[in-house]
Amino acid sequence: MPEDFTLQIVLDYRNSLVGKLELELAALKRERQRVESSLEHLHRVEYELHVALAREQRCEDLDLISIEQLNQDLKVCTRKIEACLRTIEDLDVSIARKQIELTQAKQDEESIQKLKDAYLKRQKHRLSRLEAIQQDDIYTTQGQRLSLHADWT
């Protein structure tokens, strides 16, 4: 009976770690995509506010309250854009770190998998040798039986 691979628990753990890290990386990428979408929306709003502000400033009868409100809205929008840009930068750093962590985990998993493959190859070779020995014993025993049987007749 062949022995079990003693590092199988470690290999299973490494495999689950790789899966977990892949899920975390995917979540970070989805979050980055969501923030980019928000950023695109904010850029459209910012453009519309600039257009509205320019239109208000070109009017003959200036509405200072509207202009002030548009300026305030523009400042809020600009702050939100800056926050999105900072968030994207932070996410890029997190994504890069997670990719490094995932690469290392995959390499660790691969090294243990190579050990397992080598172990299985040795086990297969050992079993083949045992089968060959048993087959030789069977042939020897059959030969002896045949020679004994021939001596009795």
Side-chain angles (χ1 to χ4, degrees), residues 28-36 88 91-92 95:
L28 286 170
K29 287 180 176 182
R30 280 192 307 274
E31 178 64 13
R32 188 185 193 288
Q33 185 62 41
R34 187 193 66 73
V35 174
E36 279 183 346
I88 288 173
L91 284 168
D92 285 343
I95 287 169

Side-chain angles (χ1 to χ4, degrees), residues 13-150:
Y13 168 75
R14 299 282 185 189
N15 186 280
S16 66
L17 179 63
V18 167
K20 177 183 158 261
L21 292 173
E22 287 173 337
L23 291 174
E24 290 172 0
L25 180 60
L28 286 170
K29 287 180 176 182
R30 280 192 307 274
E31 178 64 13
R32 188 185 193 288
Q33 185 62 41
R34 187 193 66 73
V35 174
E36 279 183 346
S37 295
S38 295
L39 182 62
E40 289 173 14
H41 172 73
L42 287 169
H43 278 302
R44 285 192 300 273
V45 169
E46 180 186 42
Y47 173 77
E48 291 169 6
L49 287 170
H50 277 296
V51 169
L53 183 61
R55 187 174 50 245
E56 279 294 323
Q57 289 172 340
R58 281 192 310 259
C59 282
E60 289 180 15
D61 53 334
L62 286 176
D63 183 357
L64 296 178
I65 294 174
S66 287
I67 291 173
E68 181 59 28
Q69 183 61 48
L70 287 170
N71 276 324
Q72 290 301 318
D73 291 346
L74 197 53
K75 286 178 185 176
V76 168
C77 186
T78 301
R79 281 194 297 272
K80 287 181 180 180
I81 287 172
E82 290 168 354
C84 280
L85 290 172
R86 282 190 303 275
T87 301
I88 288 173
E89 287 175 6
D90 293 345
L91 284 168
D92 285 343
V93 169
S94 296
I95 287 169
R97 285 183 181 150
K98 193 60 69 175
Q99 286 173 330
I100 291 169
E101 191 178 352
L102 177 60
T103 300
Q104 183 62 49
K106 282 183 177 182
Q107 288 172 349
D108 293 346
E109 178 190 30
E110 185 180 317
S111 65
I112 295 174
Q113 183 63 48
K114 285 180 182 180
L115 290 173
K116 181 180 180 180
D117 293 344
Y119 169 80
L120 292 174
K121 186 177 178 181
R122 284 191 312 274
Q123 286 293 93
K124 184 178 177 183
H125 183 67
R126 190 176 134 260
L127 286 175
S128 294
R129 282 194 332 255
L130 285 174
E131 286 176 10
I133 290 169
Q134 288 174 346
Q135 197 70 350
D136 287 346
D137 288 347
I138 290 170
Y139 291 144
T140 303
T141 304
Q142 285 176 347
Q144 289 172 351
R145 276 193 207 143
L146 287 175
S147 83
L148 282 177
H149 185 354

